[in-house]
């Protein structure tokens, strides 16, 4: 039998209720990890956890949590340790997609997106290091976007993804000389509910900005599948990626070179 790449590891994955997060949870379970998955909505979270358990993956628990909440963040990590005894991997996947143009941006919306898309990964990374630094081991993976360098979506969304890229490198510098590694995955067009909403102009802010940014954007086929992003995370989380630190791995089928 083929050895599993994450046998015995415990992973926290935020935002598992749909799309890439669901695929990440399933791939990590397939490879032997125990998973603590989060989402803000209890009903959708319970449904995904039940579906994964129905496939024979019993080492998963769901915790309803808002990544913009420090209290919820602490709760997720405590649950992981109480349930599975340790934490080895943290994937900061949860986030909000949006298409709001700068001239239509409110302070309230800007703060909401920043607190989730950038504040969330920063909170989870800070909390993870409380567990990783004493044992000098651990993996953190931030989910960024091609919008971190090709900013064709909402103004705040793009700013947060650029921030995630820079934050990832900053923390990697802080962790130089340790066995703790942090990297980011930057998905391109991936067939998820959020991407389909974006193409249909149904994300917050609508589709108006694509009229301005569309001639800067190249969307060749095929689009990526959620598992493509999950496999990139598997590479970085497993021993295959043990020498990779502070990098932003773009997974876009060559669409945004």
């Amino acid at each position: 039998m083929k050895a599993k790449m994450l046998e015995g590891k415990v992973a926290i994955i935020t935002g598992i209720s749909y799309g890439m997060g669901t695929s990440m949870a399933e791939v990590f379970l397939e490879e032997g990890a125990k998973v603590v998955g989060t989402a803000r909505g209890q009903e959708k979270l319970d449904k995904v956890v039940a579906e994964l358990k129905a496939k024979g993956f019993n080492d998963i628990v769901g915790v309803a949590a808002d990544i913009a909440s420090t209290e919820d963040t602490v709760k997720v990590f405590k649950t992981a340790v109480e349930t599975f005894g340790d934490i080895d991997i943290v994937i900061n996947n949860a986030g909000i997609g949006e298409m709001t143009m700068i001239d239509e941006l409110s302070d309230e919306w800007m703060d909401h997106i920043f607190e989730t898309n950038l504040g969330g990964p920063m909170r989870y990374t800070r909390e993870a290091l409380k567990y990783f630094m004493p044992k000098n081991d651990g993996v953190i993976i931030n989910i960024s976007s091609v919008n971190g360098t090709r900013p064709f979506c909402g103004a705040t969304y793009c700013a947060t993804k650029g921030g995630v890229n820079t934050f990832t490198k900053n923390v990697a510098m802080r962790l130089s000389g340790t066995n703790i590694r942090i990297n980011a995955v930057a998905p391109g067009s991936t067939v998820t509910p959020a991407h389909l909403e974006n193409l249909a102009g149904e994300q917050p802010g609508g589709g108006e900005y694509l009229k301005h940014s569309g001639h800067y954007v190249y969307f060749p086929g095929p689009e990526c599948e959620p598992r493509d992003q999950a496999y990139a995370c598997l590479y970085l989380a497993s021993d295959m990626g043990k020498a990779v630190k502070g990098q932003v791995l773009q997974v876009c089928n060559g669409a945004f070179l």
Side-chain angles (χ1 to χ4, degrees):
M1 181 182 294
K2 184 181 74 171
K4 295 183 177 181
M5 287 186 279
L6 300 177
E7 192 68 53
K9 300 293 186 180
V10 179
I12 292 173
I13 305 175
T14 66
I16 71 162
S17 60
Y18 63 91
M20 293 186 295
T22 303
S23 289
M24 290 169 192
E26 184 165 7
V27 166
F28 275 49
L29 289 164
E30 289 172 354
E31 290 298 330
K34 299 174 175 64
V35 172
V36 176
T38 81
R40 285 183 298 179
Q42 186 74 61
E43 185 176 348
K44 288 183 178 180
L45 177 62
D46 289 345
K47 182 175 182 289
V48 168
V49 170
E51 289 172 350
L52 290 169
K53 287 187 174 183
K55 293 181 178 181
F57 302 120
N58 294 313
D59 288 330
I60 179 170
V61 296
V63 182
D66 184 349
I67 62 171
S69 163
T70 298
E71 181 180 358
D72 282 3
T73 300
V74 172
K75 176 181 69 173
V76 170
F77 280 77
K78 285 185 175 179
T79 299
V81 172
E82 290 170 359
T83 306
F84 296 125
D86 201 359
I87 305 164
D88 302 289
I89 303 160
V90 173
I91 302 182
N92 291 312
N93 168 67
I96 300 171
E98 58 96 32
M99 293 292 291
T100 308
M101 297 184 291
I102 186 63
D103 44 309
E104 297 182 352
L105 182 63
S106 69
D107 284 357
E108 292 76 17
W109 182 249
M110 178 175 61
D111 290 344
H112 175 54
I113 300 302
F114 267 109
E115 279 296 313
T116 300
N117 288 6
L118 185 55
M122 293 182 76
R123 287 183 192 88
Y124 271 68
T125 297
R126 180 181 62 189
E127 193 67 21
L129 293 181
K130 295 177 183 178
Y131 296 86
F132 292 171
M133 292 185 80
K135 64 178 181 176
N136 192 29
D137 192 40
V139 175
I140 300 167
I141 302 170
N142 294 323
I143 303 304
S144 179
S145 167
V146 293
N147 277 271
T149 53
R150 296 285 295 277
F152 56 86
C153 287
T156 310
Y157 178 81
C158 295
T160 60
K161 293 307 181 179
V164 166
N165 292 350
T166 303
F167 170 69
T168 299
K169 291 181 179 292
N170 173 267
V171 177
M173 292 177 186
R174 165 65 182 88
L175 297 173
S176 61
T178 75
N179 292 324
I180 306 165
R181 59 187 190 269
I182 181 170
N183 293 284
V185 172
S189 304
T190 304
V191 185
T192 65
H195 174 61
L196 296 176
E197 288 171 3
N198 183 26
L199 293 180
E202 296 172 353
Q203 281 196 343
E208 183 67 23
Y209 193 68
L210 285 178
K211 297 178 183 178
H212 303 277
S213 64
H215 58 287
Y216 294 105
V217 182
Y218 180 45
F219 285 115
E223 294 174 305
C224 296
E225 297 294 331
R227 274 201 166 231
D228 295 324
Q229 312 303 337
Y231 286 142
C233 291
L234 176 61
Y235 162 68
L236 292 172
S238 70
D239 284 345
M240 291 188 296
K242 65 183 179 60
V244 183
K245 296 182 177 182
Q247 300 303 304
V248 179
L249 176 58
Q250 186 164 298
V251 182
C252 67
N253 249 326
F256 301 94
L257 298 175

